[in-house]
């Protein structure tokens, strides 16, 4: 390294990256270490591993109906993701593939809706669900998330790179529109689907506010709600909460690492 | 029988007329090339034949059957696209057999037809690769293979060679010509490259702004263009086009006020005309001449082209019968036979 300025620049870069890495990794580290400590130690600020892991786990499992809660969470996140991807990618495909005079106006209207915060939709949505007698059902969680405007937008953008000639070729090969979607579009866009899966699954899995409002009995609750519920006890047991947090984080981590390569491809553009 | 008939075929996108009434007969087994500048509607016309674009009005017959409202898959056509449009997630074999699989053909028949096409196109070793692992030329062959497998009555090619480099383009051009002989079917081929059109076609259809300017065999179009556009478009290097006025005893060209050249046909004096002469029709033994000064010389080895001007700014392209001693700045008597001149009226129509 002959140029001192370049050296300083490199050092600064690494310092900045180190800080950023620390900031992003520390909460995970703290969560894992916390799960091995007693609540009192955590409050005292102990950052070294302790020996209370098994105790924390057993307390967690005795206070939470884990199979039922996991079933709820996976059902809502899994089914929600599948439905969202299907509906939103169909919409994105339609918006990009078909010419229409009103297409851009409708799309602009959709995008405009992104600017409405969920807090403003919450109460009308709740009243609507109440009228449909859907409070405390899976449908109440799934339906409002299925048509995700952001994911429609994401699919439309990605579809711009999907060659129209592929659709033409498929039409000449005798495929109907839905077959083109199923046998050509979906496989070609798999990176886009992978990236969207991570985004949507994480959003559904971590969804808190809306489930908190519409899910009212314990056997309907999701893991996120249950872990959050642990903190509201009179004397929260932080070790147990950390165990819950680990369980709540694991699925998204696993999905991310499984789809990581495709996620990056999908973010860069699916069709090469 | 798989000739095609187009009867007053039109296409509009909203208020914009893209194809403004095309009448055309294509005979069975003919190699027809649609040629024209970009935006002339040639690809749209091809897509209308394929069924990828709706026909706004008029009739399309393939064989004796009116095809306006028939699905692309049932028109007996196969198409090769400029971008190849191979399915990237399938192997070459799957790409080629995809249409047959969808038509519900038995597996052994699909395998047989894919192998047959692979043999014709020498794709045998590539059958298990994905399109991403192939070169441009190989992809193009696979795209052609995908079309062959379907045993279509009519092949449609949409600028199939545009994405290839010059050398490969010449090679594939010969391949396609060979293929036409071997398959013995009707081919409709779209290109903006008039050399491709001249070398491949039995019949060239020159399009401009959604209408047919002229249709005929390559040499008919070359020798006997109906208008200025076709004259300028067909032939390489381009035909020289010079404006002038008819006088008693000949035509006075604006760029050569000192030379009165004999007119090949009788035209009333005072008529404003454009005179066309092909570079290769200059002939040192000709009876008429234009006095030029040479600006640029191009030695191609077999031929020497001089770019020369008269008093105006237009450069004439002159094939000099391989005159290797000619230099920039020389005076050059560009001689020709008056019979080789083509004369066009101011409206662009050929005067005969």
């Amino acid at each position: 390294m002959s140029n001192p300025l370049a050296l300083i620049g490199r050092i600064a870069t690494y310092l900045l990256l180190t800080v950023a890495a620390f900031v992003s990794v520390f909460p995970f580290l703290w969560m894992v270490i916390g799960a091995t400590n007693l609540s009192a130690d955590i409050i005292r600020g102990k950052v070294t591993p302790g020996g209370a892991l098994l105790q924390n786990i057993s307390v967690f499992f005795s206070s939470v109906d884990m199979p039922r809660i996991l079933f709820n969470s996976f059902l809502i996140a899994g089914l929600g993701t599948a439905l969202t991807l299907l509906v939103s990618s169909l919409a994105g495909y339609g918006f990009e593939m078909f010419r229409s005079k009103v297409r851009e106006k409708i799309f602009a209207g959709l995008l405009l809706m992104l600017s409405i915060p969920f807090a403003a939709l919450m109460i009308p949505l709740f009243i609507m669900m109440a009228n449909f007698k859907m409070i405390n059902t899976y449908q109440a969680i799934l339906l409002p998330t299925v048509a995700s405007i952001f994911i429609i937008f994401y699919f439309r953008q990605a579809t711009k790179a999907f060659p129209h000639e592929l659709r033409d070729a498929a039409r000449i090969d005798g495929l109907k529109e839905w077959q083109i979607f199923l046998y050509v579009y979906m496989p070609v866009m798999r990176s886009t689907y992978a990236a969207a899966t991570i985004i949507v699954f994480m959003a559904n899995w971590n969804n808190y506010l809306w489930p908190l409002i519409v899910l009212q009995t314990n056997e309907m609750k999701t893991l996120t709600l249950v872990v959050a519920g642990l903190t509201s006890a009179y004397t929260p047991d932080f070790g147990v909460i950390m165990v819950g947090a680990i369980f709540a984080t694991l699925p998204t981590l696993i999905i991310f690492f499984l789809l990581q390569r495709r996620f990056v491809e999908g973010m860069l553009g699916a069709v090469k | 029988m798989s000739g095609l008939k187009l009867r007053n075929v039109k296409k509009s996108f909203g208020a914009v007329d893209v194809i403004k009434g095309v009448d055309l007969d294509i005979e069975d087994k003919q190699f027809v090339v649609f040629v024209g500048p970009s935006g002339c509607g040639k690809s749209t016309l091809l897509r209308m034949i394929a069924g990828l674009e709706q026909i706004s009005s008029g009739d399309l017959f393939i064989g004796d059957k009116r095809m306006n409202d028939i699905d692309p898959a049932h028109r007996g056509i196969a198409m090769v696209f400029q971008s190849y449009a191979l399915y990237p997630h399938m192997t070459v074999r799957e790409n080629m057999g995809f249409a047959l699989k969808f038509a519900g053909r038995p597996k052994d028949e699909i395998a047989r037809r894919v192998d047959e096409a692979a043999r014709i196109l020498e794709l045998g070793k590539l059958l298990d690769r994905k399109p991403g692992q192939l070169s441009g030329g190989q992809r193009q062959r696979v795209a052609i293979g995908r079309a062959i497998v379907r045993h279509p009555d009519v092949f449609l090619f949409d600028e199939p060679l545009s994405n290839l480099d010059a050398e490969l383009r010449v090679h594939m051009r010969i391949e396609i010509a060979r293929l036409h002989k071997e398959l013995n079917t009707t081919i409709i081929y779209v290109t903006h490259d008039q050399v491709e059109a001249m070398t491949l076609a039995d019949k060239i259809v020159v399009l401009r702004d959604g209408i047919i300017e002229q249709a005929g065999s390559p040499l008919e179009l070359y020798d006997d263009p109906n208008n200025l556009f076709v004259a300028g478009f067909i032939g390489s290097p381009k035909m020289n086009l010079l404006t002038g006025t008819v006088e008693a005893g000949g035509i006075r060209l604006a760029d050569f006020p000192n030379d009165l050249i004999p007119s090949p046909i009788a035209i009333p004096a005072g008529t404003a005309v454009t005179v066309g002469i092909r570079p290769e029709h200059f002939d040192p033994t000709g009876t008429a001449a234009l006095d030029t000064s040479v600006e640029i010389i191009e030695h191609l080895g077999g031929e020497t082209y001089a770019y020369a001007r008269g008093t105006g700014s237009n450069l004439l392209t002159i094939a000099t019968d391989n005159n290797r001693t000619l230099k920039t700045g020389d005076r050059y008597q560009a001689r020709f036979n008056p019979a080789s001149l083509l004369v066009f009226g101011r409206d662009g129509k050929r005067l005969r």
Side-chain angles (χ1 to χ4, degrees), chain B residues 22-93:
Chain B
V22 163
D23 285 286
L24 183 66
D25 286 291
I26 295 172
E27 284 164 35
D28 190 25
K29 299 182 175 53
Q30 213 172 24
F31 197 129
V32 176
V33 176
F34 293 171
V35 68
S38 53
C40 70
K42 56 193 188 299
S43 281
T44 308
L45 191 58
L46 191 78
R47 292 171 59 83
M48 287 159 75
I49 293 171
L52 296 172
E53 299 283 357
Q54 278 283 328
I55 296 171
S56 302
S57 72
D59 298 305
L60 164 71
F61 296 92
I62 301 180
D64 295 323
K65 201 169 165 208
R66 187 175 182 272
M67 289 290 184
N68 287 44
D69 304 312
I70 308 285
D71 261 1
H74 301 121
R75 292 190 180 199
I77 51 112
M79 188 155 167
V80 176
F81 295 88
Q82 181 177 358
S83 68
Y84 323 130
L86 300 174
Y87 308 118
H89 56 296
M90 296 181 200
T91 63
V92 168
R93 191 191 301 279

Side-chain angles (χ1 to χ4, degrees), chain A residues 99 163 165-176 179 183-184 187-188 190 271, chain B residues 13 47 51-53 72-73 79 81-83 85-89 98-99 102 146 150:
Chain A
R99 285 184 292 234
E165 286 193 342
L166 272 185
R167 178 166 166 255
D168 293 339
R171 284 173 68 191
I172 288 180
D173 278 347
L175 278 73
K176 306 247 181 313
Q179 292 170 318
Y183 296 112
V184 180
V188 169
R190 59 187 183 279
V271 187
Chain B
F13 291 110
R47 292 171 59 83
L52 296 172
E53 299 283 357
M79 188 155 167
F81 295 88
Q82 181 177 358
S83 68
L86 300 174
Y87 308 118
H89 56 296
F98 195 54
F102 255 88
R146 185 170 65 177
R150 304 184 56 204

Side-chain angles (χ1 to χ4, degrees), chain A residues 29-46:
Chain A
L29 192 69
W30 203 50
M31 175 177 78
V32 174
I33 290 172
T36 67
N37 283 319
L38 290 172
S39 194
D41 290 331
I42 297 171
I43 293 168
R44 231 177 273 132
K46 186 175 173 224

